[in-house]
Amino acid sequence: MTTFTSEDLKNALAGAEQQDDDNKNYKETYLADAIRFKMKRDKKRFWAGDNISDYISEQDKSKLIDEATEAFETVLDRLLIDRENDPNSQGTARRLAKMYFNEIMAGRYEQAPDATAFPNDTEDRYQGMLVVRSELRSICSHHHQPVSGVAYIGIIAAKKLIGLSKYTRIAQWCARRGTLQEELCNDIAREIMKATGSENVGVYIQAVHGCCENRGIMAHSSLTQTTVLRGAFETDPGTKKEFMDNIKLQQEFAPR
Ligand SMILES: [Zn+2]
């Protein structure tokens, strides 16, 4: 068993302090720190569910992936995983970094999908309800565990319409971040209102959460449902009922 003298401890602390100073100087060379500094200066929120694409260029992304790779290497080292000799762990740090930026959190770093709007303002314009079913993949910001489910997006058409696939593109763009289902439901409603100009929007999500299935309570069949209602969906019981009935019809057509 190794015993430490107080002298050892003092030396170790001095070493750590020195390293801390080195880290501080070194950190300033990270692009991620420069971007964080800018966002703080602009009072731009950069939570796991926020889009920060205005602060990141396409070239920045490859530098950020390099920096995250280095950080994930440290995480693997701290977890005592032999990334030098274990063939399955070689390259894992880079795979993780790329996966975060390009896939599971891509919605933070990419601009909103462009949703060309078509006029819906003639005499015989569509005035009914539209319900779109969108499959979603996300991760929870608490545990970075997968969340998978379906969103049903309902709107009463306003004076413009967007392509049907755009509802799903917008929903997926919101989902591919670190989210909470409650927050995600709100985000999708807000972005759909923005893209369609409709004040009357409903979003219902049902999803299973990896953080409840793979750990913690290990509940294999737990399902979480959230609903956000805006405009007539909230105030008119008939509209709300039509939305909920449509969801049931959709579920008969394509069970989750
Ligand atoms: Zn979680």
Side-chain angles (χ1 to χ4, degrees), residues 139-145 147 179-180 209-212 215:
I139 59 170
C140 74
S141 28
H142 294 151
H143 303 90
H144 290 201
Q145 283 288 302
V147 175
T179 63
L180 287 192
H209 291 247
C211 62
C212 299
R215 53 161 299 287

Short mmCIF file of all heavy atoms in Angstrom, two decimals, residues 139-145 147 179-180 209-212 215, ligand 1:
data_model
loop_
_atom_site.label_atom_id
_atom_site.label_comp_id
_atom_site.label_asym_id
_atom_site.label_seq_id
_atom_site.Cartn_x
_atom_site.Cartn_y
_atom_site.Cartn_z
N ILE A 139 -32.42 12.67 -27.80
CA ILE A 139 -31.79 12.16 -26.58
C ILE A 139 -32.18 13.09 -25.43
O ILE A 139 -32.41 14.28 -25.64
CB ILE A 139 -30.25 12.05 -26.67
CG1 ILE A 139 -29.58 13.40 -26.97
CG2 ILE A 139 -29.80 11.00 -27.68
CD1 ILE A 139 -28.07 13.33 -26.82
N CYS A 140 -32.29 12.52 -24.24
CA CYS A 140 -32.66 13.37 -23.11
C CYS A 140 -31.43 14.12 -22.63
O CYS A 140 -30.33 13.57 -22.63
CB CYS A 140 -33.30 12.56 -21.98
SG CYS A 140 -32.14 11.57 -21.03
N SER A 141 -31.64 15.38 -22.25
CA SER A 141 -30.47 16.16 -21.84
C SER A 141 -29.95 15.74 -20.47
O SER A 141 -28.82 16.07 -20.12
CB SER A 141 -30.75 17.67 -21.90
OG SER A 141 -32.09 17.96 -21.71
N HIS A 142 -30.75 15.01 -19.70
CA HIS A 142 -30.27 14.59 -18.38
C HIS A 142 -29.25 13.46 -18.45
O HIS A 142 -28.25 13.47 -17.74
CB HIS A 142 -31.44 14.11 -17.51
CG HIS A 142 -32.39 15.21 -17.17
ND1 HIS A 142 -33.73 15.01 -16.95
CD2 HIS A 142 -32.18 16.53 -17.01
CE1 HIS A 142 -34.31 16.16 -16.67
NE2 HIS A 142 -33.39 17.09 -16.70
N HIS A 143 -29.53 12.45 -19.30
CA HIS A 143 -28.67 11.26 -19.34
C HIS A 143 -28.06 10.98 -20.71
O HIS A 143 -27.32 10.02 -20.86
CB HIS A 143 -29.47 10.02 -18.93
CG HIS A 143 -30.11 10.12 -17.59
ND1 HIS A 143 -31.39 10.61 -17.41
CD2 HIS A 143 -29.66 9.79 -16.36
CE1 HIS A 143 -31.69 10.58 -16.13
NE2 HIS A 143 -30.66 10.10 -15.47
N HIS A 144 -28.43 11.76 -21.71
CA HIS A 144 -28.00 11.50 -23.09
C HIS A 144 -28.36 10.07 -23.51
O HIS A 144 -27.59 9.39 -24.18
CB HIS A 144 -26.50 11.77 -23.29
CG HIS A 144 -26.17 13.23 -23.22
ND1 HIS A 144 -25.03 13.78 -23.76
CD2 HIS A 144 -26.85 14.27 -22.69
CE1 HIS A 144 -25.03 15.09 -23.55
NE2 HIS A 144 -26.12 15.40 -22.89
N GLN A 145 -29.53 9.65 -23.09
CA GLN A 145 -30.06 8.35 -23.49
C GLN A 145 -31.07 8.57 -24.61
O GLN A 145 -31.72 9.62 -24.67
CB GLN A 145 -30.75 7.68 -22.29
CG GLN A 145 -29.78 7.08 -21.28
CD GLN A 145 -29.14 5.82 -21.83
OE1 GLN A 145 -29.81 4.86 -22.18
NE2 GLN A 145 -27.82 5.83 -21.91
N VAL A 147 -34.28 8.79 -26.94
CA VAL A 147 -35.73 8.96 -26.81
C VAL A 147 -36.28 8.66 -28.20
O VAL A 147 -35.79 9.21 -29.18
CB VAL A 147 -36.08 10.42 -26.43
CG1 VAL A 147 -37.58 10.64 -26.39
CG2 VAL A 147 -35.44 10.79 -25.09
N THR A 179 -32.91 17.06 -25.27
CA THR A 179 -34.23 17.66 -25.01
C THR A 179 -34.88 17.08 -23.76
O THR A 179 -34.43 16.09 -23.20
CB THR A 179 -35.20 17.38 -26.18
OG1 THR A 179 -35.38 15.97 -26.28
CG2 THR A 179 -34.68 17.91 -27.49
N LEU A 180 -35.97 17.71 -23.37
CA LEU A 180 -36.95 17.12 -22.46
C LEU A 180 -38.20 17.03 -23.32
O LEU A 180 -38.47 17.94 -24.11
CB LEU A 180 -37.26 18.07 -21.30
CG LEU A 180 -36.20 18.24 -20.23
CD1 LEU A 180 -36.82 18.96 -19.04
CD2 LEU A 180 -35.65 16.90 -19.79
N HIS A 209 -38.36 6.42 -23.36
CA HIS A 209 -37.12 7.06 -22.93
C HIS A 209 -36.10 6.04 -22.46
O HIS A 209 -36.37 5.29 -21.53
CB HIS A 209 -37.42 8.05 -21.80
CG HIS A 209 -38.21 9.24 -22.26
ND1 HIS A 209 -37.68 10.51 -22.28
CD2 HIS A 209 -39.46 9.34 -22.76
CE1 HIS A 209 -38.59 11.35 -22.75
NE2 HIS A 209 -39.68 10.67 -23.05
N GLY A 210 -34.94 6.06 -23.11
CA GLY A 210 -33.85 5.15 -22.73
C GLY A 210 -33.47 5.30 -21.27
O GLY A 210 -33.10 4.32 -20.62
N CYS A 211 -33.61 6.51 -20.73
CA CYS A 211 -33.18 6.70 -19.34
C CYS A 211 -34.13 6.01 -18.36
O CYS A 211 -33.75 5.77 -17.22
CB CYS A 211 -33.00 8.17 -19.00
SG CYS A 211 -34.48 9.14 -19.15
N CYS A 212 -35.34 5.67 -18.81
CA CYS A 212 -36.25 4.89 -17.96
C CYS A 212 -36.16 3.40 -18.28
O CYS A 212 -36.52 2.56 -17.46
CB CYS A 212 -37.69 5.34 -18.13
SG CYS A 212 -37.96 7.04 -17.68
N ARG A 215 -31.82 2.07 -17.52
CA ARG A 215 -31.22 2.38 -16.22
C ARG A 215 -32.36 2.81 -15.30
O ARG A 215 -33.52 2.70 -15.68
CB ARG A 215 -30.18 3.50 -16.36
CG ARG A 215 -30.74 4.73 -17.06
CD ARG A 215 -29.94 5.98 -16.84
NE ARG A 215 -29.87 6.34 -15.43
CZ ARG A 215 -30.89 6.85 -14.73
NH1 ARG A 215 -32.06 7.07 -15.29
NH2 ARG A 215 -30.75 7.14 -13.45
ZN ZN B 1 -32.96 11.02 -18.97
#
